[in-house]
Amino acid sequence: MSEQELSTEKTILEAAKKVFLDKGFDGARMQEIADKAGINKALLHYYFRSKDKLFDAIFEEAFKQFLPNISEIMISNKPIEEKVRAFVSSYIDMLLKNPYLPVFVIRELQRKPDAIVEILKKSKINPIQVALTLKQHTEDGQIIDISLPHLIVNMIGLCVFPFIGRPIIEGFLFNNNTEAYNAFLLERKTLVADFILNAIKLK
Amino acid sequence: MSEQELSTEKTILEAAKKVFLDKGFDGARMQEIADKAGINKALLHYYFRSKDKLFDAIFEEAFKQFLPNISEIMISNKPIEEKVRAFVSSYIDMLLKNPYLPVFVIRELQRKPDAIVEILKKSKINPIQVALTLKQHTEDGQIIDISLPHLIVNMIGLCVFPFIGRPIIEGFLFNNNTEAYNAFLLERKTLVADFILNAIKLK
DNA sequence: GTGTAATTTTGCCATTTGGTTAAACTATTT
DNA sequence: AAATAGTTTAACCAAATGGCAAAATTACAC
């Protein structure tokens, strides 16, 4: 009983994740989720009361995964070069494993912008601490003076954008050569770090 | 007749653009478009046969607008510094005027990935020419050796990402202070160019 | 003004879709 | 094995939605 129950629930969540990530909330159909899970549609409502509830379960998980743990990496004592390389490499790795995450999160946050307020309450990110560490690097003469938001946006943007814009970039710059594009994404694990460090390091 | 007809059609297109950009194809409702245009729903079908057709009209226009004319700027004889500044500034300007464009285009391309193939046929971008110009800059000792795709992705990504990720960034790094975020976006017109030039210029 | 073509509205239909209810089935307990 | 609780399915419903046909209205030509 217990293991059967859990297994069904997980099966549903797995199928729901696939469908929601691919189609979005508005495009997703409960019937399609049920089919993909190989179960009856009514079972979805038995385990999760509604489409909204089922979606919320998926979204919360996805959002947590998408948000990079910048604080953790940036607050350590390591030199800035090491920090940037560690962040870029690990974040691109995550994206390679979950390439649809960014579009999904962004799409759904546009649909219900108030959701971000709820999420903010639960989260406990501390930008101030990171900003202080960053200022220290600047004062040590390691990097130029750059505000934390700009640096963070630049770092994340450089990592994420090729995944968000994949269909366009792959089409226009790679003639829809998927293999070549995968190689391109891998290259970026070091190239993006080099790019950022060149941009911010004092020489 | 003629001016009335055109006016109605334009009214519809305007309303449709707002709704589609905000809600996406799946979330958009013909009734909502009709309401926003202040007309009867059946009129939508009179001017555009179906929801699909109406959407296509909006999407094609939006996509053209979204795609930056990199070639034009990059092929000129100006020094690389001027090129980068010109591109970044003009592209961010366009995004400031059309902040929802990126999410819309990306969202809809995920829904129908084959659309990109059709678009590619119509477009006439010539990456080779741009790549040659870039190589010239490298050989002139102005910039580091970087592949065209990486450079383009970096440039566009740095411009576009703050618009795509706005709800998240504004929430986490700006405490949902919209004014502050607008200022942040404006700052980027010069900051991003500086960042890129620092990253690629040989010193 | 009258007739004709274009435009707009009303009213409606067929399909889709999230959700519910009651029945059927399974496992567990006693 | 009988009863009970938990799980799954089949059948169905009401609301929403894209689309359509025909009537009504407007604009225009003559």
Side-chain angles (χ1 to χ4, degrees):
Chain A
M1 169 173 75
S2 182
E3 59 273 31
Q4 187 66 13
E5 181 181 344
L6 202 66
S7 172
T8 303
E9 196 173 320
K10 273 193 179 169
T11 308
I12 293 175
L13 282 172
E14 227 167 273
K17 184 172 183 181
K18 277 183 198 155
V19 176
F20 278 133
L21 279 244
D22 186 35
K23 308 280 179 73
F25 181 86
D26 290 325
R29 298 289 166 254
M30 294 295 269
Q31 188 61 58
E32 190 182 347
I33 295 174
D35 290 347
K36 192 148 288 184
I39 55 158
N40 189 282
K41 182 171 66 111
L43 253 195
L44 299 181
H45 293 90
Y46 179 77
Y47 281 94
F48 306 83
R49 289 181 22 150
S50 64
K51 187 183 180 183
D52 279 273
K53 291 274 200 302
L54 176 54
F55 176 83
D56 286 348
I58 301 295
F59 183 78
E60 193 177 333
E61 177 72 15
F63 189 84
K64 269 190 219 153
Q65 211 175 352
F66 173 65
L67 213 67
N69 53 348
I70 287 202
S71 315
E72 203 177 306
I73 292 181
M74 291 303 277
I75 289 180
S76 75
N77 301 350
K78 296 176 180 165
I80 184 75
E81 170 146 4
E82 225 171 291
K83 288 182 186 179
V84 170
R85 292 198 187 282
F87 169 77
V88 169
S89 176
S90 73
Y91 197 52
I92 290 184
D93 269 339
M94 188 280 290
L95 291 170
L96 284 166
K97 279 177 209 139
N98 307 277
Y100 294 120
L101 222 49
V103 174
F104 172 68
V105 170
I106 284 156
R107 184 211 284 137
E108 302 306 329
L109 276 182
Q110 167 141 359
R111 194 173 60 85
K112 44 171 194 172
D114 298 337
I116 199 74
V117 179
E118 291 298 316
I119 296 170
L120 271 171
K121 284 180 192 163
K122 292 183 195 167
S123 105
K124 34 192 176 290
I125 280 191
N126 187 358
I128 297 168
Q129 184 68 0
V130 183
L132 288 176
T133 317
L134 188 68
K135 205 177 165 206
Q136 195 56 52
H137 283 300
T138 305
E139 285 168 1
D140 291 351
Q142 296 182 42
I143 60 169
I144 62 170
D145 191 16
I146 184 171
S147 86
L148 181 65
H150 281 300
L151 182 56
I152 289 186
V153 167
N154 290 358
M155 289 204 302
I156 300 183
L158 287 169
C159 293
V160 168
F161 183 68
F163 292 88
I164 294 176
R166 174 157 195 165
I168 303 177
I169 307 165
E170 188 173 309
F172 276 88
L173 299 180
F174 290 84
N175 282 313
N176 280 318
N177 182 339
T178 301
E179 279 308 308
Y181 200 76
N182 286 335
F184 172 76
L185 289 174
L186 273 177
E187 280 169 28
R188 291 185 68 81
K189 283 182 62 176
T190 58
L191 186 135
V192 166
D194 291 341
F195 193 88
I196 294 170
L197 289 165
N198 258 341
I200 64 173
K201 273 205 314 198
L202 276 176
K203 278 150 282 189
Chain B
M1 169 174 76
S2 183
E3 61 273 31
Q4 186 66 14
E5 179 182 345
L6 203 67
S7 172
T8 304
E9 196 173 320
K10 273 192 179 172
T11 308
I12 293 176
L13 282 172
E14 226 168 273
K17 184 172 182 181
K18 277 183 199 156
V19 176
F20 277 134
L21 279 243
D22 185 37
K23 308 280 180 72
F25 181 85
D26 290 325
R29 297 288 166 252
M30 295 295 269
Q31 188 61 59
E32 190 182 347
I33 295 174
D35 291 347
K36 191 148 290 182
I39 55 157
N40 191 281
K41 182 171 66 110
L43 255 195
L44 300 180
H45 291 90
Y46 179 76
Y47 281 93
F48 306 84
R49 288 180 23 149
S50 64
K51 186 183 181 183
D52 279 273
K53 291 273 199 303
L54 176 54
F55 176 83
D56 286 347
I58 301 295
F59 182 79
E60 193 177 334
E61 177 71 15
F63 189 84
K64 269 189 217 152
Q65 211 174 353
F66 173 66
L67 214 67
N69 52 348
I70 287 203
S71 314
E72 202 178 308
I73 292 181
M74 292 304 276
I75 289 180
S76 76
N77 305 350
K78 297 177 178 164
I80 185 76
E81 171 146 2
E82 226 170 291
K83 289 181 185 178
V84 170
R85 292 197 188 281
F87 170 77
V88 169
S89 177
S90 74
Y91 197 53
I92 290 185
D93 270 338
M94 187 280 290
L95 292 170
L96 284 166
K97 280 177 209 140
N98 308 277
Y100 295 120
L101 222 49
V103 174
F104 172 68
V105 170
I106 284 156
R107 184 211 284 137
E108 302 306 329
L109 276 182
Q110 168 141 359
R111 194 174 59 86
K112 44 172 194 173
D114 297 336
I116 199 75
V117 180
E118 291 297 316
I119 296 170
L120 271 171
K121 284 179 193 164
K122 293 183 195 167
S123 107
K124 36 194 174 288
I125 280 190
N126 187 357
I128 297 167
Q129 184 68 359
V130 183
L132 289 176
T133 317
L134 188 69
K135 205 176 166 205
Q136 196 56 51
H137 284 300
T138 306
E139 285 169 0
D140 291 352
Q142 296 182 40
I143 59 169
I144 61 170
D145 191 16
I146 184 171
S147 86
L148 181 65
H150 280 300
L151 181 57
I152 289 186
V153 167
N154 290 359
M155 290 205 301
I156 301 183
L158 287 169
C159 293
V160 167
F161 183 68
F163 292 88
I164 294 176
R166 174 158 194 164
I168 304 177
I169 307 166
E170 187 173 307
F172 276 88
L173 298 181
F174 290 85
N175 281 313
N176 280 318
N177 182 338
T178 301
E179 280 308 308
Y181 200 76
N182 287 335
F184 172 76
L185 289 175
L186 273 177
E187 280 170 28
R188 291 185 69 80
K189 283 182 63 176
T190 57
L191 186 135
V192 166
D194 291 342
F195 193 89
I196 295 169
L197 288 166
N198 257 342
I200 64 173
K201 272 206 314 197
L202 276 177
K203 278 149 283 188

